[in-house]
Amino acid sequence: MTLFPTYQRNDLRPVEGQGAWLWDEAGKKYLDFTSGLGVCNLGHAHPKVKEVVQEQLDRLWHVSNLFQIPLQEEVSEELARVSGLSLAFFCNSGAEANEAAIKLARRYGREGKGLAQPEIVTFHSSFHGRTLATLTATGQTKVKEGFAPLPEGFRQLPYNDVFALEAGLTETTAAVLLEPIQGEGGVHPADPSFLRRLEELCREREILLMVDEIQTGMGRTGSLFAFQEAGIQPDVLTLAKGLGNGIPVGAMLGRTGLETHFGPGSHGSTFGGNPVAMAAAQAVLREWTETDLPVQVQETARQLTALLHERVAQSPFVREVRGRGWMWGVELDRSVAPLLSHLRDRGLLASLAGPCVLRLLPPLVTEVAELEWAVAQIEEALVQLEEVGRDESVSRI
């Protein structure tokens, strides 16, 4: 064995992807409702992204941030127009984007608020990454086991609890970091009223509002960013996953004024914002700003929502169907692992968001007929689960 066994992989070996579909080495076809864990929002091998990346590969791959990279300026301007945030730092992943946000928050707390020990508030069941700082920010014990001592300066509050929020923000709080929908934590959307009250408290107390849209961003919830649906405006926004549609790229965006706390030498990345990654990000953004994709995504998402509630939520094994847009969790009253295996046998790929939650993250370009077929597979698998449960054991699926 040459790889650390850090992933619990199944034996599927994809070798080709096109749109919402994957093929394994035996030629079997699968409808991919994982999107590479919310990455390939525009589908596999998207033609426009492929075209611009191939063109960039013929010109220049990498020069480092010792030099001007004009594409960074262009992408940052396009992100500013769609996000309302005028500053950008580019990196390679979601964890790196959140690391940058954490460092910025600490600098802001010390220099902007005069705090000797600035604190960042996050939430129970959240997920922000697997570096030491981001796993400490994460509100799940399982990702922290065995990695002590962990960095200080983080505290978790209950998610969607306004009373706990009002009591939990203190004079030492420099920033609040949250996901508008908790993905790894079980696909739990934040209540819009909770987000609006959080924004009010942050403005009143000069606390940075930092929104982690690593998974929800770039159209996953139906809007380009999930925070827009609640009518709030963050001070800091972190992005990755769908920003490059499979080309590794992350970004931390910030409001004007925060540049005073993140000057030369305060942070950096050798590969962050290289020309290839920026070409991919620009192509993805232009699909959103220069085509009718947003209208298509919202209309098809409404149909997906209806299908899940009409045909899946009625199963006696389903406790709840929750989510928004193209990001859904189906919570069962038992382990979801047998259902996942059964769906894969039928040609549908999905993932977990906890032991009892089936997570559905289809590419945003999935067609209605494909969505209908996928929901039919889930519905039929649940019926078979019920039949087997009556006769013998759930494990027979």
Side-chain angles (χ1 to χ4, degrees):
M1 179 181 290
T2 58
L3 300 174
F4 276 104
T6 53
Y7 302 105
Q8 190 171 350
R9 305 178 195 263
N10 61 53
D11 57 3
L12 177 63
R13 298 187 181 189
V15 296
E16 184 180 349
Q18 191 70 42
W21 295 89
L22 287 173
W23 286 261
D24 68 14
E25 58 187 358
K28 183 175 179 179
K29 185 179 180 181
Y30 301 86
L31 186 58
D32 182 13
F33 266 39
T34 73
S35 301
L37 291 181
V39 170
C40 298
N41 287 6
L42 300 183
H44 297 282
H46 187 275
K48 187 58 181 179
V49 179
K50 179 170 64 175
E51 177 187 350
V52 299
V53 168
Q54 286 177 338
E55 290 175 356
Q56 187 60 50
L57 286 170
D58 288 337
R59 292 197 297 270
L60 182 66
W61 295 14
H62 179 76
V63 293
S64 91
N65 285 295
L66 293 175
F67 304 99
Q68 300 291 324
I69 301 176
L71 269 174
Q72 285 191 15
E73 300 294 333
E74 294 175 20
V75 173
S76 66
E77 289 174 3
E78 292 178 35
L79 283 169
R81 283 196 293 272
V82 295
S83 71
L85 298 169
S86 58
L87 302 168
F89 174 85
F90 292 110
C91 49
N92 311 286
S93 68
E96 290 179 58
N98 283 335
E99 280 275 350
I102 289 166
K103 288 181 68 175
L104 175 59
R106 288 189 170 185
R107 272 284 182 93
Y108 168 80
R110 287 180 174 273
E111 299 174 354
K113 299 193 70 176
L115 301 174
Q117 297 292 328
E119 181 182 68
I120 297 172
V121 165
T122 61
F123 294 90
H124 298 163
S125 299
S126 61
F127 183 85
H128 299 292
R130 292 188 180 273
T131 64
L132 279 177
T134 56
L135 71 83
T136 308
T138 291
Q140 300 183 47
T141 302
K142 65 181 181 181
V143 303
K144 307 179 187 185
E145 294 174 351
F147 297 113
L150 299 176
E152 297 179 349
F154 297 92
R155 185 163 51 87
Q156 278 84 44
L157 297 177
Y159 192 64
N160 268 336
D161 188 329
V162 172
F163 297 107
L165 179 69
E166 292 173 342
L169 302 184
T170 70
E171 293 181 354
T172 62
T173 305
V176 175
L177 173 65
L178 91 162
E179 304 155 279
I181 300 180
Q182 292 184 333
E184 293 288 334
V187 192
H188 291 280
D191 190 290
S193 62
F194 174 76
L195 292 176
R196 288 191 287 269
R197 181 56 179 151
L198 172 59
E199 182 187 40
E200 290 175 358
L201 292 169
C202 287
R203 297 288 175 264
E204 291 170 4
R205 304 181 190 188
E206 297 184 333
I207 295 169
L208 291 184
L209 174 55
M210 307 198 303
V211 178
D212 175 346
E213 294 230 28
I214 306 304
Q215 190 166 138
T216 56
M218 307 311 299
R220 177 54 58 186
T221 65
S223 301
L224 188 55
F225 306 119
F227 77 79
Q228 295 168 329
E229 296 166 8
I232 65 170
Q233 178 62 53
D235 299 299
V236 174
L237 179 68
T238 55
L239 302 171
K241 289 189 182 286
L243 181 58
N245 205 59
I247 302 300
V249 55
M252 178 193 70
L253 310 183
R255 63 166 169 78
T256 300
L258 292 177
E259 69 274 18
T260 61
H261 307 297
F262 231 43
S266 60
H267 198 44
S269 171
T270 297
F271 296 105
N274 72 58
V276 176
M278 291 295 92
Q282 187 172 64
V284 170
L285 283 165
R286 290 184 176 176
E287 283 297 300
W288 278 96
T289 58
E290 297 179 2
T291 73
D292 62 354
L293 179 64
V295 175
Q296 295 177 30
V297 163
Q298 290 182 6
E299 174 56 32
T300 314
R302 283 192 285 270
Q303 297 179 63
L304 174 60
T305 302
L307 285 168
L308 288 170
H309 282 100
E310 291 168 6
R311 301 179 61 178
V312 174
Q314 310 309 316
S315 167
F317 300 133
V318 173
R319 287 178 173 167
E320 187 178 15
V321 173
R322 55 180 179 261
R324 197 158 67 240
W326 296 80
M327 182 176 181
W328 290 92
V330 179
E331 183 175 350
L332 304 186
D333 63 0
R334 63 200 61 207
S335 170
V336 78
L339 179 63
L340 267 181
S341 178
H342 190 58
L343 290 174
R344 190 182 72 172
D345 290 343
R346 286 170 167 262
L348 177 64
L349 301 179
S351 61
L352 298 169
C356 298
V357 179
L358 178 72
R359 178 168 47 170
L360 305 174
L361 299 170
L364 312 186
V365 296
T366 308
E367 296 180 358
V368 173
E370 295 167 332
L371 295 175
E372 290 175 340
W373 179 84
V375 171
Q377 304 315 302
I378 299 170
E379 182 183 27
E380 291 171 15
L382 287 167
V383 169
Q384 186 171 350
L385 183 69
E386 183 178 0
E387 292 172 351
V388 171
R390 279 197 300 264
D391 296 338
E392 302 176 22
S393 166
V394 173
S395 63
R396 285 284 301 278
I397 288 187

